[in-house]
Amino acid sequence: MPTVRKVLLLDAAIAMTNPPLTLGTAVPDGMRHHLAMAMRWLLHGLLPLLAGGWVLCAEAAPALQVGSKRFTESYILGEVVTQTLRSQGLAAEHRQGLGNTAILAAALKQGQIDLYAEYTGTIVRELLKREAPADARASLPQINAWLQPLGLKAAVPLGFNNSYALAVREADAARLGLVTLSDLARSASTLRLGLSHEFLARADGWPALRQAYGLTLKPGAGLDHGLAYGALAAGQVDVIDVYTTDAQLARQPVRVLQDDRGFFPRYDAVLLMRAEVDDRHLQGLTGQLTEAVMTRLNAAAELEGQDFASVARGFLAGAGVRDGEHGWGARLFAPDLPRLLAQHLALVMGSLVLATVMAVPLGVAAHRLPRLSGPVMATVGLLQTLPSLALLAFLIALVGRIGFAPALLALFVYALLPIVRNTHAGLQGVPAGLRQAAMALGLTPAQTLRAVEIPLALPTLMAGIKTAAVTNVGTATVAAFVGAGGLGERIVAGLAVNDSALMLAGALPAAGLALLVQWIFDGLERSVARRRSPERGGRNP
């Protein structure tokens, strides 16, 4: 009796999930058993992961949310602020590598993060859009007066100025006589620029700098800041934008060109936060970081391979930098692995559940109504071609937030095509004679779909779900660019510091997870095949 009750409850659950596929008495026992197993796997496995993903990203979390951009110094400062808050007895969470200035500022205004390390020149030029030369040298009280209408404030000056600059190889500088940016403007050389994406777009970046100095060099394609020094050393580019506290400046033969016309404002590091955040717990950091100290901390992470948390702990302990375990094994099995895996699985499986619920009815509709087939297939095919970062940017604007929600929706969009296509193909492959025989026996079209067509199309349909699941495991790594976490968080951090070991520490678990997902679905497909095989005692529909 308990078994019968479970099956009846299962039928009810399936009915609520997808009414057109409700199981009735016409479904064969073997197929019922298989679907029961699949539903139990879904209810007891995937849905808790989905719920866990929402919990991890819930806006109502009591912990203070500390953000950081995608470059070494910002990661370190984010850890310093987070660990300082925790040492004061406050709950704090570091949301690493959320993106560029525009994304961090939007997240701050929307209350998704509470504070992050920013620079006065960026606040004045990029956020407040004040371009007057006098504004570039505004005091902190004046900046706060401008920020007040936005519900923000700048506090806790950290003690160092990290300005933008352009740098060239020392050999090229000596050969061409380059000392200042004016020298670069007068040079008739064909030097190749390798500028970061943000610098190319900023109000205080390349467009305004080119106009101020009359630079005629072509900017070319954007280059991630973490890769710029390697490209410069390899001779792939000749001029890059740098931060004056970059660790690589002391290790590579490069010359930083002087800003002889004073174009760049001061970029004094401060903490930008929502107005209601109490900054008293962070005042102990005021003036504690000089340019030399910050450069040394950057070098510990970028050149010595220490993780950001260890570098921050060493600084706060008064040792400047404390060595920690940063070998391959320690990185791969770091304490954040369970959290990242849970977030990754929540994104993949949550999007898979949503896509299946929508895509299967779409595939059925496209099969039953041939006039809909072309538009449906064209639409889901077009959605599949959208670049992931562009889609994420659009969804962030649509839902008004970063993090789990836009990433889940993006993966949902990418999972539609294989499931819709395979549902349609599976139903198309059902012999017309079987449908006609079912109708001749008095079954309605809905009963024929449930009892004959769906069971016969199920192997093809499951292959589409498997394809969507495996593909989304890899695509979900991009979610880290918008603060959704997952294994991509390690890849993004490794890219920021040009650390291939750290990138592999995120890529290898993602690859292993994709293989595991494929193995699970392969097992389910073999189970279906065995139950459908007469030689093994299964029953054909």
Side-chain angles (χ1 to χ4, degrees):
M1 193 65 178
T3 303
V4 174
R5 186 179 299 114
K6 287 181 181 178
V7 172
L8 291 174
L9 289 173
L10 174 65
D11 284 348
I14 297 174
M16 288 185 292
T17 304
N18 196 350
L21 300 183
T22 304
L23 294 179
T25 56
V27 178
D29 293 339
M31 190 58 63
R32 180 187 293 277
H33 178 84
H34 169 70
L35 289 174
M37 180 176 64
M39 181 58 74
R40 282 195 294 271
W41 180 60
L42 172 67
L43 294 178
H44 297 294
L46 304 188
L47 296 183
L49 287 171
L50 177 59
W54 283 107
V55 170
L56 285 169
C57 303
E59 185 177 7
L64 283 169
Q65 302 293 306
V66 181
S68 62
K69 301 182 186 180
R70 287 189 291 108
F71 63 94
T72 307
E73 185 166 291
S74 189
Y75 280 107
I76 294 172
L77 293 176
E79 277 296 325
V80 167
V81 171
T82 302
Q83 293 182 25
T84 299
L85 289 170
R86 290 173 180 170
S87 70
Q88 299 290 320
L90 300 176
E93 179 183 352
H94 182 194
R95 302 187 66 179
Q96 299 186 21
L98 294 181
N100 59 18
T101 299
I103 291 177
L104 269 293
L108 195 64
K109 293 173 185 176
Q110 294 162 6
Q112 294 178 258
I113 61 173
D114 298 296
L115 70 163
Y116 74 99
E118 191 52 279
Y119 306 89
T120 53
T122 300
I123 295 172
V124 172
R125 291 276 181 90
E126 188 70 10
L127 300 184
L128 296 170
K129 307 298 183 183
R130 306 187 75 92
E131 299 181 1
D135 292 343
R137 299 172 180 81
S139 63
L140 198 58
Q142 179 61 66
I143 292 174
N144 277 319
W146 293 331
L147 287 172
Q148 187 175 6
L150 302 177
L152 305 177
K153 67 179 179 180
V156 193
L158 298 175
F160 69 95
N161 170 40
N162 182 10
S163 180
Y164 265 121
L166 295 186
V168 297
R169 283 183 296 273
E170 183 62 42
D172 289 341
R175 175 173 58 86
L176 299 171
L178 302 179
V179 177
T180 67
L181 289 174
S182 293
D183 294 335
L184 182 64
R186 288 191 294 268
S187 174
S189 66
T190 56
L191 297 177
R192 295 160 298 174
L193 294 177
L195 306 179
S196 65
H197 299 89
E198 184 168 2
F199 188 74
L200 285 170
R202 288 173 61 109
D204 56 346
W206 173 252
L209 179 67
R210 179 178 57 183
Q211 184 176 4
Y213 278 94
L215 295 165
T216 58
L217 299 176
K218 303 294 183 183
L223 180 66
D224 191 273
H225 186 75
L227 303 176
Y229 285 97
L232 185 68
Q236 297 171 321
V237 297
D238 305 307
V239 183
I240 61 174
D241 61 289
V242 301
Y243 305 118
T244 53
T245 56
D246 277 349
Q248 296 278 6
L249 290 177
R251 304 292 180 96
Q252 288 203 29
V254 299
R255 180 180 297 182
V256 178
L257 301 179
Q258 299 173 15
D259 180 17
D260 52 307
R261 296 187 184 178
F263 168 79
F264 291 114
R266 285 190 62 83
Y267 292 85
D268 293 305
V270 296
L271 299 183
L272 184 63
M273 61 190 73
R274 294 188 298 110
E276 58 268 28
V277 173
D278 186 352
D279 58 82
R280 289 177 297 177
H281 299 284
L282 295 165
Q283 287 299 328
L285 294 175
T286 301
Q288 294 302 303
L289 287 157
T290 64
E291 283 86 351
V293 169
M294 194 67 246
T295 302
R296 190 165 71 251
L297 297 182
N298 289 336
E302 196 164 332
L303 304 180
E304 299 170 18
Q306 297 187 45
D307 63 86
F308 305 122
S310 295
V311 173
R313 280 195 298 270
F315 165 72
L316 293 173
V321 175
R322 183 174 66 189
D323 288 332
E325 280 192 88
H326 47 272
W328 166 246
R331 291 184 178 211
L332 183 60
F333 300 105
D336 65 348
L337 183 59
R339 173 181 63 85
L340 298 179
L341 277 172
Q343 292 172 337
H344 207 93
L345 281 169
L347 285 168
V348 172
M349 299 308 181
S351 62
L352 189 65
V353 170
L354 294 177
T356 302
V357 169
M358 176 170 284
V360 171
L362 280 176
V364 172
H367 168 67
R368 287 294 180 89
L369 303 172
R371 286 182 299 180
L372 286 179
S373 179
V376 167
M377 294 299 177
T379 300
V380 295
L382 178 63
L383 292 174
Q384 186 79 8
T385 65
L386 295 175
S388 54
L389 290 179
L391 180 60
L392 283 169
F394 170 77
L395 290 172
I396 288 172
L398 182 66
V399 303
R401 58 183 297 113
I402 61 172
F404 188 80
L408 181 75
L409 290 176
L411 293 174
F412 156 74
V413 167
Y414 288 132
L416 287 175
L417 176 62
I419 303 176
V420 171
R421 183 178 56 199
N422 278 42
T423 301
H424 182 267
L427 293 173
Q428 288 283 89
V430 176
L434 289 178
R435 295 192 193 94
Q436 294 167 1
M439 299 293 287
L441 291 173
L443 273 67
T444 65
Q447 290 171 333
T448 302
L449 177 67
R450 292 196 304 266
V452 177
E453 296 178 282
I454 287 296
L456 287 175
L458 189 60
T460 305
L461 192 159
M462 288 184 62
I465 296 175
K466 178 179 71 174
T467 300
V470 173
T471 302
N472 273 11
V473 170
T475 309
T477 57
V478 183
F481 284 95
V482 295
L487 294 167
E489 195 170 287
R490 289 180 172 182
I491 298 174
V492 172
L495 183 63
V497 297
N498 197 19
D499 187 339
S500 58
L502 185 54
M503 285 187 275
L504 282 174
L508 288 182
L513 187 59
L515 291 175
L516 177 62
V517 169
Q518 181 164 338
W519 177 78
I520 291 173
F521 275 98
D522 286 343
L524 288 172
E525 289 176 344
R526 287 193 297 270
S527 176
V528 172
R530 282 196 301 268
R531 294 184 181 280
R532 291 170 57 85
S533 173
E535 289 81 3
R536 292 182 176 268
R539 298 183 184 180
N540 284 319

